[in-house]
Amino acid sequence: MPVEPPVTSPRDLAEAYASLAAAPARPIAGGTDLMVALTGEIGEPPDRILDLWRLDELRGIALDGDAISLGALTTYTEVRRSALCREHLPVLVEAAATIGAAQIQNRGTLGGNVANASPAGDTLPVFLAADAAFVLGSARGERTVPASEFWPAYRQTALAPDELLLRIRIPLLAGREMRFRKVGTRRAQSISKVVVALGWRDGSADEPLAPSAPWTDVRLALGSVAATPIRAKATEAALEGRPPTPETADRAAETLAAELQPIDDVRSTAEYRRLVAARVLHRLIREAGGW
Ligand SMILES: Cc1cc2nc3c(=O)[nH]c(=O)nc-3n(C[C@H](O)[C@H](O)[C@H](O)COP(=O)(O)OP(=O)(O)OC[C@H]3O[C@@H](n4cnc5c(N)ncnc54)[C@H](O)[C@@H]3O)c2cc1C
């Protein structure tokens, strides 16, 4: 039988920082990823655990100037029920609805998904495409790391051992549209084979342009196709400044198929991922263009 590691449950952030500064410990939020690792069957189990669940400083969804701020302990159920998310970030509500099933959505957190750094983490491409920034904290102070720099390599993050992810900040840009699609073996409890998050701007929120208006600030992020979530920059360039017409969709899908170098693993072949990612992108553009 594996030995259970000792757990510390700080009541506030100052206590959590002091505990982490005194001795390294693995944070636990909802535990839906970490509990699976406790048996030691999939890698080294942690020696000590720091339970974040009582840290109210890591909770809450709020507007913060021209951004929306999501506490690291925000669960998927909270995202789905949040009026602010539904109004300002419906793409995250959509992504949250595809995660696990009700039990996982009640307990699993955004911070856990981000810090776990699985390339199949479903919210990661959304955060990349939305230009999210992660606010990290420790006894040394706070710092902000853009999503584009947060996952440098397979299952690695920008977090130092004594740092916690506090909150996620997503800029709310006028006229920004976002779409999300996850492809798995089934609709619930499925690990993604391909995840696509697409963002663009097509005018201001006050003056929305017709669906045929050219796209700017295009962001295309993919999950489950590489060692980390990635942006498809050549495909973004192929979409930039163009309206969502059939010709644009054909060109973008071709560019993506050529640009992607997907992984081959137990869940899918590289070829499947390439074809599906291109088809998903084509469909998202078609839906946005209304043709
Ligand atoms: C049955 C099942 C289905 C699942 N389905 C999906 C799915 O469809 N899509 C998907 O993306 N994931 C899925 N997962 C994985 C998991 O539920 C998510 O990744 C979830 O968001 C993890 O959050 P958590 O709070 O449970 O993280 P934990 O398990 O508590 O932590 C995960 C990792 O993050 C670290 N961590 C957590 N919070 C912080 C913080 N604030 N600061 C620093 N480090 C932190 C922990 O140390 C640990 O390394 C599934 C898991 C299970 C068991």
Side-chain angles (χ1 to χ4, degrees), residues 1-55:
M1 280 290 285
V3 180
E4 283 188 20
V7 181
T8 310
S9 295
R11 277 160 302 180
D12 59 34
L13 208 43
E15 217 182 286
Y17 289 160
S19 177
L20 280 171
R26 190 84 174 272
I28 191 166
T32 60
D33 276 314
L34 197 63
M35 292 300 280
V36 182
L38 285 191
T39 61
E41 287 163 275
I42 48 166
E44 274 298 298
D47 294 330
R48 287 179 66 230
I49 289 181
L50 186 82
D51 179 11
L52 307 180
W53 206 249
R54 296 202 290 175
L55 301 181

Side-chain angles (χ1 to χ4, degrees), residues 52-199:
L52 307 180
W53 206 249
R54 296 202 290 175
L55 301 181
D56 287 339
E57 297 102 318
L58 271 58
R59 296 195 183 280
I61 301 171
L63 290 180
D64 174 13
D66 55 359
I68 186 165
S69 168
L70 305 150
L73 286 179
T74 304
T75 65
Y76 300 108
T77 299
E78 285 167 345
V79 169
R80 293 186 70 183
R81 290 182 181 162
S82 158
L84 280 180
C85 286
R86 284 215 282 261
E87 182 181 347
H88 296 287
L89 211 53
V91 67
L92 188 64
V93 177
E94 199 184 327
T98 72
I99 307 247
Q103 298 93 329
I104 296 295
Q105 291 177 17
N106 284 339
R107 190 74 194 174
T109 65
L110 296 178
N113 206 225
V114 168
N116 193 52
S118 162
D122 286 320
T123 65
L124 280 46
V126 175
F127 292 137
L128 254 188
D131 287 325
F134 301 123
V135 182
L136 316 183
S138 71
R140 291 169 286 123
E142 291 189 8
R143 66 187 179 114
T144 300
V145 178
S148 56
E149 293 169 19
F150 191 76
W151 302 283
Y154 178 65
R155 300 211 80 138
Q156 287 183 18
T157 71
L159 280 160
D162 64 342
E163 272 182 322
L164 295 174
L165 172 57
L166 306 181
R167 56 192 175 274
I168 301 158
R169 212 169 174 277
I170 298 179
L172 297 174
L173 303 177
R176 171 176 280 175
E177 293 281 339
M178 289 195 72
R179 299 285 185 278
F180 170 87
R181 197 61 47 88
K182 162 177 174 170
V183 179
T185 342
R186 52 183 183 240
R187 293 194 62 167
Q189 302 288 29
S190 122
I191 303 180
S192 302
K193 294 163 183 275
V194 173
V195 187
V196 179
L198 175 65

